[in-house]
Amino acid sequence: MAQAEPNLDHDISWVLLPSHWAKIVVALISFLCFANSYDGDFVFDDSEAIINNKDLRAETPLGDLWHHDFWGSKLSSNTSHKSYRPLTVLTFRINYLFAGGFYPVGFHVINIILHCIISVLMVDVFSILLGGLQFTNKGRRLNLAPKTSLLAALLFAVHPVHTECVAGIVGRADLLCALFFLLSFLGYCKAFRENKEGHHFSVFWVLVSVLLGAVAMLCKEQGITILGLNAVFDALVINKLNVLEFIQKLIRKDKLLEAINYNYYYSLNAWLLLCPWWLCFDWSMGCIPLIKSVSDWRIIALAALWFCLIGLICQALCSEDSHKRRILTLGLGFLIIPFLPASNLFFRVGFVVAERVIYLPSIGYCILFTYGFTLLSKQAKKKKILAVAVLGILLINVMRCALRSSQWRSEEQLFRSALSVCPLNAKVHYNVGKNLADKGNQSAAIKYYREAVRLNPKYVHAMNNLGNILKERNELQEAEELLSLAVQIQPDFAAAWMNLGIVQNSLRRFEEAEQSYWTAIKHRRKYPDCYYNLGRLYADLNRHIDALNAWRNATVLKPEHSLAWNNMIILLDNTGNLAQAEAVGREALELIPNDHSLMFSLANVLGKSQKYKESEALFLKAIKANPNAASYHGNLAVLYHRWGNLDLAKKHYEVSLKLDPMAPGTKENYNLLRRKLEQLQKKGGA
């Protein structure tokens, strides 16, 4: 550490700014790149990790966060993703609490701020990695590479591959992990601060570094790799370890890569760092066809990757310049070590390429790029042209970040942007179809679902969704074929079993439908929607007790299940059990006090029980919540008719008929009322 380091800044034509101004510039530019994502929607994985995650809600005990995975499932569950990120979920919960609900702006703003903070920290990190760790006599760290550290930090701040982490809210895990990862590294560097007497080792800062590393790991599993990087830094920079001897010891382990395809995936990750133009929210399901022959031209990409890596490793090991060896080794360390958890070398992960996992490895890329730029500047005669070229790369990346951020603002834009990048990805077509179906465009959705199934004939979720749409369009035969195939491929697919039961019920094959429902419940014991549909089947079969029990199970599992409550009230009403219907209605409204359909159902029961005043109040409250429901006005008119308030009855009959001229029974009741009013007028006139 005490040796003088070569000055990387000497040969480059680049702006020299004071440290605080450099950090301000980096912060502003990093903010500019992603600012337009602040008002984006919840997209893609945000739905499962945030909207459907009960761990964000106040009623879930905070202690549960430590026993659940990132998606809110118990870690002990067989369906758990096993991704343990409690601190990230805690920040989502705080967002939800302060916003008062699921409003995405606050979530997006925090992500943008985190990226800005990380980019600012990169100025200090790169100054150490590129300029070395040296201190003044007073123990203050020197920045010996202010120009190159600024350039590297800008490259990091504006890299388009970071868009998924910043504009996608679930990328919060990568951002928080990176933040505490860098703080752990900087804390470790502080442990070796020099003073007048020479080296000063601080156990306190080592402990702080370890604690920050643990925090990084609790934000995302990748954070554990900071321990390896700190060890590499300690060996190379602090203890001046001979890198060649160290690598030779590792090589003796003779660890071979499992398959040639994984090597190709690594080259794709490297290409995303070098040329982040073709970006996609998901790289699975046929997006990257397998290499099946050595004659496949993509072998060239694999060869290029290893040619470059071997060249860099040889330089890192064999160069006579110790400064060069140190920078290249640290650059390769930051590039490779944080990527190892996602490499599939040590354990299987759920993806082969994912832009979010390159957030930390991009630090290594920025080190290598910046160091290469300084070497070129040293040899170039026209240094300003080279500087302009690098500035052009930065500007292009800024524009690409802004464009990509705008695509992440909504699911429609995000999913459609992937069609041109990964046209063979079944999941892309599935998500475009799902987005269209959610917007009510079923015809277009069918097209994309069919394409998803064509690309992946075992894509059970696409079959399930396509079967659902066909069921709603009364194309029951094809719907049954698709859903039957889905459960054949995946026998424990509970949702497909339930939907198959609904189709079989519509085809009046009641025994098969009942069996399908119970199979769904066997595979998903807490399945309120399935109990609801099972209740409907029993009601159709006049098995009233079984129907009520099924709906009661649905409401026990999901107390806010309005349809199940309503069906219980209506069935009890229709079978003359008014007292029981009233009790159920009151119980339901206590749990869901603002549900106008429950108000309507209970109002009908109260009217039949001649509790006119209370019935009227509920009808009026329901109409206030949903003024365009013809049945609400029609049934209130019937209440007034029975009650003897004929003028009000006439008024609401007319409103009901205006909203729905074909409302069943309303026209007949209205005509009866008119005749009665005419008779009263004649009597009054006589």
Side-chain angles (χ1 to χ4, degrees):
M1 287 191 302
Q3 296 176 359
E5 297 281 359
N7 192 339
L8 292 180
D9 286 4
H10 183 268
D11 295 304
I12 66 170
S13 296
W14 195 254
V15 63
L16 177 62
L17 294 174
S19 178
H20 65 281
W21 277 110
K23 291 176 180 179
I24 290 171
V25 168
V26 170
L28 289 175
I29 291 179
S30 61
F31 176 79
L32 178 66
C33 285
F34 302 104
N36 65 342
S37 68
Y38 87 96
D39 60 347
D41 298 330
F42 292 113
V43 299
F44 195 38
D45 288 337
D46 296 344
S47 297
E48 290 302 315
I50 298 172
I51 297 174
N52 297 332
N53 191 341
K54 292 183 179 179
D55 286 346
L56 271 64
R57 303 176 188 273
E59 57 266 24
T60 302
L62 274 174
D64 286 5
L65 271 64
W66 302 96
H67 304 286
H68 292 176
D69 65 16
F70 185 55
W71 314 94
S73 300
K74 288 184 179 180
L75 284 166
S76 58
S77 169
N78 292 331
T79 60
S80 170
H81 193 272
K82 309 301 182 188
S83 47
Y84 188 60
R85 304 165 192 173
L87 295 185
T88 302
V89 177
L90 180 61
T91 67
F92 291 152
R93 183 166 173 148
I94 293 170
N95 259 131
Y96 174 81
L97 177 66
F98 279 98
F102 292 113
Y103 302 104
V105 172
F107 290 84
H108 282 295
V109 168
I110 294 297
N111 274 27
I112 295 168
I113 291 172
L114 283 172
H115 178 66
C116 292
I117 293 171
I118 292 164
S119 298
V120 168
L121 286 176
M122 292 310 306
V123 177
D124 289 330
V125 172
F126 285 130
S127 73
I128 295 170
L129 296 175
L130 295 168
L133 186 61
Q134 296 191 36
F135 299 88
T136 65
N137 290 333
K138 295 182 178 180
R140 184 177 180 182
R141 187 179 60 79
L142 295 170
N143 184 355
L144 299 178
K147 291 182 181 179
T148 48
S149 60
L150 172 60
L151 172 58
L154 286 172
L155 281 168
F156 178 88
V158 306
H159 205 297
V161 83
H162 297 158
T163 308
E164 180 174 352
C165 290
V166 184
I169 297 172
V170 293
R172 174 84 58 86
D174 299 271
L175 296 172
L176 288 171
C177 175
L179 175 63
F180 291 105
F181 183 100
L182 297 176
L183 289 174
S184 174
F185 174 76
L186 292 172
Y188 195 74
C189 292
K190 278 182 176 285
F192 300 96
R193 186 183 304 172
E194 291 181 356
N195 56 21
K196 292 180 180 179
E197 288 75 32
H199 300 299
H200 172 70
F201 178 76
S202 170
V203 174
F204 170 77
W205 279 109
V206 171
L207 292 175
V208 168
S209 175
V210 171
L211 177 63
L212 290 168
V215 173
M217 186 177 65
L218 292 173
C219 293
K220 189 174 181 180
E221 304 81 357
Q222 197 177 16
I224 198 173
T225 60
I226 187 57
L227 301 178
L229 273 170
N230 282 344
V232 170
F233 181 81
D234 186 287
L236 294 175
V237 178
I238 309 301
N239 293 305
K240 311 293 184 186
L241 181 72
N242 187 309
V243 180
L244 181 57
E245 292 179 2
F246 179 72
I247 296 298
Q248 284 174 339
K249 290 179 182 178
L250 290 179
I251 290 174
R252 290 192 190 105
K253 292 183 178 179
D254 198 27
K255 179 69 176 176
L256 298 176
L257 294 176
E258 184 177 346
I260 196 171
N261 279 289
Y262 281 125
N263 287 263
Y264 177 61
Y265 300 146
Y266 304 152
S267 69
L268 281 178
N269 281 283
W271 181 249
L272 289 175
L273 288 172
L274 288 169
C275 185
W277 199 255
W278 294 277
L279 300 175
C280 183
F281 72 92
D282 186 275
W283 292 86
S284 63
M285 288 197 180
C287 193
I288 308 168
L290 293 174
I291 294 175
K292 297 180 179 178
S293 167
V294 291
S295 62
D296 193 314
W297 67 268
R298 290 175 296 167
I299 294 287
I300 297 170
L302 186 157
L305 170 69
W306 283 105
F307 177 80
C308 293
L309 280 178
I310 291 169
L312 288 169
I313 290 169
C314 288
Q315 286 292 308
L317 292 174
C318 305
S319 174
E320 296 180 359
D321 185 347
S322 62
H323 183 239
K324 183 177 185 179
R325 289 202 308 270
R326 192 203 73 202
I327 290 179
L328 289 178
T329 305
L330 287 173
L332 288 168
F334 270 89
L335 183 70
I336 296 169
I337 293 176
F339 182 73
L340 289 177
S343 67
N344 287 280
L345 284 176
F346 306 110
F347 45 81
R348 296 284 184 183
V349 292
F351 51 84
V352 290
V353 178
E355 292 155 26
R356 61 185 176 277
V357 303
I358 314 178
Y359 193 84
L360 278 171
S362 67
I363 297 172
Y365 160 77
C366 293
I367 294 171
L368 297 174
F369 183 98
T370 305
Y371 186 62
F373 172 65
T374 62
L375 295 180
L376 283 175
S377 296
K378 194 172 184 179
Q379 302 296 325
K381 294 181 179 179
K382 297 182 179 179
K383 294 180 174 57
K384 289 186 177 179
I385 294 177
L386 195 59
V388 169
V390 172
L391 182 61
I393 291 173
L394 290 174
L395 290 174
I396 290 171
N397 279 358
V398 169
M399 291 186 289
R400 179 64 178 133
C401 284
L403 174 62
R404 186 63 179 153
S405 291
S406 68
Q407 292 171 342
W408 271 87
R409 291 178 65 186
S410 71
E411 287 194 333
E412 181 180 6
Q413 294 180 78
L414 178 64
F415 297 154
R416 287 191 177 278
S417 70
L419 287 172
S420 59
V421 179
C422 287
L424 299 180
N425 187 336
K427 196 170 183 179
V428 168
H429 291 274
Y430 167 84
N431 279 289
V432 173
K434 186 175 183 300
N435 183 256
L436 288 165
D438 290 343
K439 293 181 176 180
N441 192 347
Q442 291 188 341
S443 298
I446 288 173
K447 168 190 167 187
Y448 286 99
Y449 281 141
R450 288 195 191 281
E451 180 64 8
V453 174
R454 186 190 71 80
L455 291 168
N456 183 357
K458 294 186 177 181
Y459 198 173
V460 292
H461 292 284
M463 294 175 189
N464 180 59
N465 287 16
L466 178 56
N468 264 342
I469 292 180
L470 294 172
K471 173 193 70 182
E472 291 172 13
R473 294 162 71 96
N474 208 35
E475 298 178 33
L476 300 177
Q477 196 63 43
E478 187 181 0
E480 184 183 21
E481 290 172 6
L482 282 164
L483 293 166
S484 297
L485 180 58
V487 296
Q488 182 181 338
I489 294 169
Q490 186 177 326
D492 63 348
F493 191 3
W497 277 113
M498 181 188 75
N499 290 323
L500 178 60
I502 295 171
V503 171
Q504 290 166 336
N505 192 9
S506 300
L507 291 168
R508 306 190 67 78
R509 300 214 302 272
F510 300 121
E511 288 186 11
E512 292 177 49
E514 182 180 8
Q515 184 61 43
S516 294
Y517 287 141
W518 282 115
T519 305
I521 292 168
K522 182 182 87 171
H523 293 301
R524 190 193 296 179
R525 287 179 297 172
K526 296 180 179 180
Y527 203 172
D529 287 343
C530 195
Y531 276 111
Y532 165 74
N533 284 298
L534 180 62
R536 291 184 60 189
L537 168 67
Y538 288 146
D540 289 343
L541 295 173
N542 292 320
R543 292 166 59 179
H544 296 157
I545 301 299
D546 289 334
L548 290 170
N549 286 335
W551 290 328
R552 176 58 73 177
N553 284 333
T555 60
V556 168
L557 293 171
K558 186 179 178 182
E560 68 276 14
H561 204 303
S562 174
L563 290 173
W565 284 114
N566 250 317
N567 280 20
M568 276 196 284
I569 299 167
I570 293 167
L571 179 58
L572 290 167
D573 180 3
N574 291 342
T575 54
N577 296 301
L578 295 181
Q580 197 176 349
E582 181 181 340
V584 171
R586 293 188 188 280
E587 182 185 355
L589 274 178
E590 282 184 12
L591 293 167
I592 324 172
N594 297 318
D595 191 302
H596 55 80
S597 63
L598 289 175
M599 298 174 198
F600 173 71
S601 297
L602 180 55
N604 285 327
V605 173
L606 292 170
K608 291 179 182 178
S609 301
Q610 298 184 351
K611 297 179 181 179
Y612 297 135
K613 196 68 180 175
E614 193 176 359
S615 175
E616 177 194 29
L618 279 174
F619 272 130
L620 291 173
K621 197 173 178 182
I623 287 170
K624 185 177 180 181
N626 188 13
N628 294 322
S631 60
Y632 290 11
H633 290 278
N635 284 28
L636 176 58
V638 171
L639 175 74
Y640 284 136
H641 200 157
R642 289 176 182 167
W643 200 358
N645 294 337
L646 302 185
D647 290 335
L648 286 174
K650 180 174 180 292
K651 172 188 171 184
H652 284 280
Y653 277 138
E654 289 172 350
V655 173
S656 178
L657 289 169
K658 185 177 180 181
L659 291 169
D660 182 8
M662 305 303 292
T666 304
K667 196 166 186 179
E668 291 79 0
N669 288 334
Y670 179 57
N671 289 333
L672 287 172
L673 176 64
R674 286 183 62 186
R675 284 197 290 272
K676 187 171 183 178
L677 287 171
E678 288 171 1
Q679 289 171 2
L680 289 173
Q681 285 177 354
K682 288 178 181 178
K683 287 181 181 179

